[in-house]
Amino acid sequence: EVQLLESGGGLVQPGGSLRLSCAASGFTFSNYHMSWVRQAPGKGLEWVSAINGAGVTTYYADSVKGRFTISRDNSKNTLNLQLDSLRAEDTAVYYCAKRAFPNGGHFDTWGQGTLVTVSS
Amino acid sequence: EIVMTQSPATVSVSPGERATLTCRASQSVYSNLAWYQQKPGQAPRLLISGASTRATGIPARFSGSASGTEFTLTISSLQSEDSAVYYCQQYNKWPLTFGGGTKVEIK
């Protein structure tokens, strides 16, 4: 069974940092693009960042470019998101999501999410 | 950036009736369009990909269609468990973008 399990969320002050992780199982992790998608309280879904299977190519939403860094460790089947210079508007549940095909496609599997709260 | 516009924001439908949700893309996304269902406190769940292909385990009452840049999700006979927010998403071009969502309420 394909599973994604996020961790690392919590309360952080504005300007602070946090590192999220997503443990993947049940599929050949290194073959697939992975993404982070977030959802602010009471709001819709916003794609944040993506990385290809080899970990060489990354993509970011303009809202997080220069502040967030996506990475992956294929030896540990783990996806990471480093969140720096956090702002109140970054408060959200962060989901990791697997693309359906090695070169992209829709999101066929989602984690349960981890909550990041940015507040003083 | 491709803007995805969903309408209506909320739809209220009686059990057994049809619900029709619309998603419009600001430019062509071809068939690279997915629909997701999200219930309170849960992660999104894939319903439809490729504009019209149901995901594994999704009931046949859910169907998707496309006409140019306009996409439709139809729930043919609404069940109580279909109460949720539904999102469309294009995966044709970076950045990946979602619609604002349509909330389906049961009358």
Side-chain angles (χ1 to χ4, degrees), chain B residues 3-63:
Chain B
V3 177
M4 307 301 291
T5 303
Q6 289 189 242
S7 61
T10 304
V11 63
S12 185
V13 179
S14 299
E17 293 191 345
R18 177 186 300 259
T20 302
L21 288 61
T22 299
C23 172
R24 184 173 284 108
S26 61
Q27 60 184 264
S28 177
V29 299
Y30 303 97
S31 294
N32 296 315
L33 188 286
W35 290 94
Y36 303 90
Q37 176 193 65
Q38 187 180 34
K39 296 181 178 180
Q42 296 184 16
R45 177 176 74 144
L46 175 68
L47 293 178
I48 301 281
S49 63
S52 61
T53 301
R54 272 192 308 278
T56 303
I58 301 303
R61 64 180 181 275
F62 291 92
S63 63

Side-chain angles (χ1 to χ4, degrees), chain A residues 33 35 37 39 43-47 50-51 59-62 95 99 104-108 110-113, chain B residues 1 33-34 36 38 41-46 48-50 87 89 91-92 94-101:
Chain A
H33 276 241
S35 276
V37 177
Q39 186 170 38
K43 303 298 184 181
L45 300 170
E46 178 189 17
W47 171 79
I51 189 168
Y59 306 85
Y60 296 95
D62 285 345
Y95 296 100
R99 303 287 293 276
H106 55 279
F107 295 121
D108 64 354
W110 298 67
Q112 89 291 345
Chain B
E1 170 176 319
L33 188 286
Y36 303 90
Q38 187 180 34
Q42 296 184 16
R45 177 176 74 144
L46 175 68
I48 301 281
S49 63
Y87 294 95
Q89 180 234 338
Y91 48 92
N92 187 64
W94 300 104
L96 308 181
T97 48
F98 291 88

Side-chain angles (χ1 to χ4, degrees), chain B residues 79-91:
Chain B
Q79 307 295 305
S80 58
E81 61 265 30
D82 300 333
S83 177
V85 179
Y86 293 81
Y87 294 95
C88 62
Q89 180 234 338
Q90 68 81 18
Y91 48 92

